[in-house]
């Protein structure tokens, strides 16, 4: 009887012994791209897809001097055509346009059109963000200008990749931050002379063309703007007329070029 019990228990004891010696399975690691060049087709497709779009956004801004909330309609045909019309309580408070290098800010309540040889001066005067209108247009769709993609210099540490774009002729430099697991656009740091600020996507935006930002934070040491994308769609049939910088009527023109260098 005793020997029968031993024969019965021996296989069980052997199995338990083997199980005790077995190593636990290793966690499955997310695959990492071998080269950043593997990302470029998706980034290029994304930039092409969002070259022309229309959007509805909500702006909440805070500086040392003021705090305000606005809604806006945006039309963009990048890189050189852009229109932002801002509303408060259903009334237009400002229209900023960029059209093939000509830019203007129309303020209906003042019956004034402000102009400047630098588009960032107009958006700085109106919203407190000294950001070029073409770059502002790209940031709303979380896409990179094609000329930045062509010369992007890449470094990486663990799951974070940094892409340094060649500085623009106007002296702007851009450092894009990407996440690799999964592949997403997280932020871009923008610099020019004393200007230094960050554009942060919350949450980070995937590389697929249909992925769109939800909330975008523009921030520096002096100001912060939170922009919520309420709707954004590609719109390849926008007409030139919507980017007209001639607002007509008896309107004063004020040049801000010397005021905001």
């Amino acid at each position: 009887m005793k020997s029968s019990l031993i024969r019965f228990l021996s296989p069980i004891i052997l199995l338990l012994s083997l199980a005790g010696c077995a190593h636990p399975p290793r966690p499955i690691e997310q695959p990492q791209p071998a080269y950043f060049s593997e990302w470029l087709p998706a980034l290029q497709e994304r930039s092409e897809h969002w070259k022309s779009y229309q959007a509805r956004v909500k702006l909440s801004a805070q500086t040392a001097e003021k705090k305000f909330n606005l809604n806006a309609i945006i039309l963009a045909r990048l890189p050189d055509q852009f229109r932002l019309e801002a509303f408060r309580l259903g009334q237009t408070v400002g229209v900023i346009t960029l059209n093939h290098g000509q830019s203007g800010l129309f303020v209906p309540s003042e019956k004034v059109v402000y102009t400047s040889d630098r588009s960032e001066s107009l958006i700085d005067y109106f919203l407190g963000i000294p950001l070029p209108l073409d770059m502002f247009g790209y940031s709303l769709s979380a896409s990179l200008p094609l000329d930045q993609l062509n010369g992007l210099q890449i470094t990486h540490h663990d799951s974070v990749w940094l892409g340094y774009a060649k500085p623009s002729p106007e002296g702007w430099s851009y450092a894009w931050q990407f996440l690799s697991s999964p592949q997403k656009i997280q932020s871009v740091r923008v610099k020019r002379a004393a200007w230094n600020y960050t554009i942060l996507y919350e949450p980070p935006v995937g590389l697929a063309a249909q992925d769109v930002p939800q909330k975008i934070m523009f921030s520096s040491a002096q100001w912060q703007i939170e922009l919520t994308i309420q709707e954004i769609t590609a719109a390849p049939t926008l007409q030139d007329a919507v980017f007209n910088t001639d607002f007509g009527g008896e309107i004063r023109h004020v040049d801000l070029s010397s005021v905001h260098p």
Side-chain angles (χ1 to χ4, degrees):
M1 180 70 180
K2 183 176 181 181
S3 59
S4 300
L5 180 60
I6 293 174
R7 284 196 301 271
F8 175 75
L9 292 177
S10 293
I12 299 176
I13 294 171
L14 178 61
L15 287 174
L16 291 175
S17 175
L18 292 174
C21 295
H23 295 288
R26 294 182 178 180
I28 299 175
E29 296 183 359
Q30 293 292 333
Q32 298 283 338
Y35 301 100
F36 189 81
S37 58
E38 297 178 13
W39 300 31
L40 292 180
L43 288 170
Q44 290 171 343
E45 181 182 354
R46 182 174 185 84
S47 297
E48 291 287 350
H49 180 80
W50 292 109
K51 283 177 66 174
S52 183
Y53 67 83
Q54 56 190 22
R56 291 189 303 108
V57 304
K58 181 179 179 180
L59 288 162
S60 298
Q62 184 171 352
T63 69
E65 294 79 22
K66 59 183 177 179
K67 182 177 181 180
F68 61 86
N69 296 290
L70 296 171
N71 293 308
I73 300 293
I74 293 170
L75 304 173
R77 193 160 65 185
L78 302 170
D80 50 16
Q81 291 181 300
F82 182 86
R83 175 188 174 96
L84 180 150
E85 184 166 357
F87 304 89
R88 183 184 291 117
L89 301 177
Q91 299 294 316
T92 298
V93 296
V95 181
I96 300 176
T97 56
L98 170 68
N99 191 11
H100 298 295
Q102 301 296 318
S103 55
L105 163 62
F106 174 45
V107 181
S109 62
E110 301 177 12
K111 294 184 178 180
V112 174
V113 173
Y114 296 96
T115 59
S116 176
D117 55 0
R118 293 183 180 274
S119 63
E120 62 266 25
S121 298
L122 300 178
I123 199 165
D124 183 25
Y125 184 83
F126 185 54
L127 296 178
I129 313 174
L131 188 69
L133 287 181
D134 57 345
M135 185 58 202
F136 187 54
Y138 282 108
S139 68
L140 298 188
S141 61
S143 58
L144 279 70
L146 288 173
D147 60 346
Q148 292 191 26
L149 277 176
N150 292 336
L152 214 59
Q153 300 295 316
I154 302 300
T155 64
H156 74 94
H157 178 70
D158 295 332
S159 63
V160 176
W161 295 67
L162 292 176
Y164 296 93
K166 182 180 178 181
S168 71
E170 296 78 19
W172 293 97
S173 65
Y174 305 95
W176 294 83
Q177 182 169 310
F178 306 90
L179 302 179
S180 62
S181 298
Q183 298 172 5
K184 292 188 176 184
I185 301 170
Q186 184 175 49
S187 66
V188 55
R189 189 171 68 250
V190 185
K191 296 181 67 176
R192 175 173 171 262
W195 288 333
N196 185 353
Y197 47 91
T198 300
I199 304 170
L200 175 69
Y201 297 99
E202 297 183 347
V205 183
L207 302 193
Q210 66 269 21
D211 291 342
V212 298
Q214 298 179 29
K215 186 176 293 184
I216 311 172
M217 304 295 295
F218 299 81
S219 59
S220 77
Q222 294 78 30
W223 47 260
Q224 177 172 301
I225 291 183
E226 179 180 296
L227 188 148
T228 303
I229 302 289
Q230 297 175 315
E231 180 183 359
I232 183 169
T233 57
T237 58
L238 295 175
Q239 301 299 313
D240 286 338
V242 302
F243 303 105
N244 195 346
T245 57
D246 182 9
F247 296 96
E250 296 183 0
I251 299 174
R252 292 189 301 119
H253 287 74
V254 177
D255 188 5
L256 295 178
S257 298
S258 60
V259 179
H260 288 74

